[in-house]
Structure formats: structure tokens, C-alpha cells
Amino acid sequence: MKIQLALDRLTKDECFHIVRETMDFIDWIEIGTGIIKEYGMSIVKEMKNLYPDKMIVADMKTCDAGKHEAEQAFRAGADVMTVMGFANNQTILDALEVARSYNKQVMIDLLEIKEKERVEELNRLGVDFFCLHIGKDSQLQGESIKEGQMKLVSGLELVHIAVAGGVNEDSVGNFLNKAIQVAIVGSAITKSDNPSEAAKRMREAIHS
């Protein structure tokens, strides 16, 4: 299982500091939606230039204008961009077409998607990744990823699965051996007093 470090609700300096501290223990670097809104696509480009061997995820949360936003993400150096699962199918197809032209990938964010039929429809479009996602506001209300959400992606072929929303060293074990390829970890690392040690413990929890 890969560790995707989610950078959000941080200053630019904090983003780069945390990546420097944790780079030995993480695999992918996610530039969060709030960070992109604050600093623009230039921070995606800077991060890719500094860490060319890391997968860079631009968390665009695209819900319209798929072609334009995909061009923005991939021109800036992102390897993966996110598109919302509730977006129009044409938006998703347009993003996928651009991704293919750059040899990059699209991750579908399943935030608030409840119907397996929709996930199966998205799968038929040829997406690369699904992200099971419990949002920050829902987490504050006590929600977490449970078996019901896992069933949304069960039995799907030719697609990778990521999980996001309150993932930490204690909960990551719940997703091992469940066809989850990527654990997206934010606050458990970024809000830690020692991000390097937190990322190391996450890595150890995955491999223990």
C-alpha cells in the first residue's frame, strides 16, 4: 500500500517543510484543493520540480470543465488529478482524454456517492482510480469509512482504489488486504508535532 501525503489547510512554507521531513516514508504527494486555491498551479509545478520521482496528485475536485482543468493540472506537472464522482460523464471523459494524451491518470473522488450503480457506471468510463472519501466536515460529525463504503468498489476490475478521511496509524490496518492501493493521510502527519516520526509510524503500521 502506498502512502499519499495530503497537504491542505497549510501555508506554502509548511507544505514544503513537511514534505522535506517525510519524503523518505511517503510515496505520493497531494496538493490539496485549498492549497491550489490559495497558491495556484505554480505550487504543483514547484513540488514536481523538487520531487520529480514522487507521484504528484493535484486535488482539483473538478466537477465541470474537465478538459480545461485537466490541462491545467497536467501542464503543471501533476501525475494524477481528481474529478468528482457526481460530475457529468462528459466532464469525466474529457478529463480522461487529456490525461491519456499526457500519459497521466484521473482519480474519481467518491465523496457523497452512495449508489454502487453510479460507481459501476464510472468504472465503465475507464477511470484509473476511485477514492473512497469521508470529508472533513463529515469526520467532525463522527463519520468514518465503513464496510458500506467498501462495498461501493467491491468486485470492480482494472481500477485502483484509494481511501481518504481520518486515516491514521491506528485505522490504516482496517484497509490492508482489502484491495486498497493507496492510503491518503493528511492531519495524522501534517498536524503532528513530528511529521517525520508520524509518517514513519504510518509506514511501519502498513508493513507490520
Side-chain angles (χ1 to χ4, degrees):
M1 181 185 288
K2 305 290 187 183
I3 295 176
Q4 177 174 315
L5 174 66
L7 302 168
D8 221 342
R9 296 173 293 279
L10 300 164
T11 67
K12 185 176 181 179
D13 287 345
E14 286 171 335
C15 288
F16 286 100
H17 171 74
I18 290 169
V19 173
R20 283 196 301 271
E21 290 290 305
T22 61
M23 64 175 299
D24 290 339
F25 307 109
I26 63 171
D27 305 290
W28 295 14
I29 302 168
E30 173 192 322
I31 312 300
T33 314
I35 301 296
I36 291 173
K37 288 180 177 180
E38 181 77 17
Y39 299 107
M41 301 309 299
S42 63
I43 191 169
V44 177
K45 186 174 183 178
E46 288 180 57
M47 196 67 76
K48 187 62 177 179
N49 286 341
L50 279 173
Y51 302 101
D53 296 330
K54 297 289 187 186
M55 291 281 283
I56 303 296
V57 180
D59 190 17
M60 305 292 282
K61 287 190 171 65
T62 294
C63 53
D64 195 21
K67 181 177 181 180
H68 175 71
E69 295 200 1
E71 286 281 358
Q72 286 183 303
F74 298 128
R75 275 204 313 267
D79 299 290
V80 181
M81 71 170 291
T82 64
V83 179
M84 301 309 295
F86 56 74
N88 185 278
N89 283 359
Q90 191 59 54
T91 301
I92 294 168
L93 289 169
D94 287 347
L96 283 167
E97 181 180 359
V98 175
R100 300 293 181 260
S101 71
Y102 281 88
N103 196 28
K104 304 299 184 181
Q105 297 178 308
V106 170
M107 179 184 288
I108 299 296
D109 189 329
L110 295 178
L111 186 73
E112 296 301 323
I113 298 293
K114 309 293 186 184
E115 301 81 20
K116 188 173 178 64
E117 291 78 12
R118 176 55 177 163
V119 178
E120 291 172 340
E121 180 182 25
L122 292 166
N123 191 45
R124 289 192 293 270
L125 296 181
V127 302
D128 304 292
F129 268 93
F130 284 121
C131 177
L132 293 169
H133 185 188
I134 299 296
K136 181 61 67 175
D137 293 340
S138 295
Q139 290 175 51
L140 293 175
Q141 297 174 49
E143 292 188 35
S144 60
I145 294 173
K146 298 182 175 68
E147 207 60 39
Q149 282 86 11
M150 297 293 295
K151 289 179 180 178
L152 287 174
V153 295
S154 64
L156 298 181
E157 297 180 355
L158 304 177
V159 67
H160 300 296
I161 311 298
V163 62
V167 179
N168 56 45
E169 62 181 287
D170 295 321
S171 66
V172 73
N174 297 330
F175 307 113
L176 298 175
N177 304 317
K178 291 191 176 181
I180 303 295
Q181 284 82 27
V182 181
I184 301 176
V185 186
S187 298
I189 293 175
T190 63
K191 301 303 182 184
S192 170
D193 292 336
N194 189 332
S196 177
E197 183 61 30
K200 181 181 179 182
R201 290 198 304 269
M202 183 67 65
R203 174 66 68 193
E204 291 170 347
I206 288 172
H207 289 289
S208 65

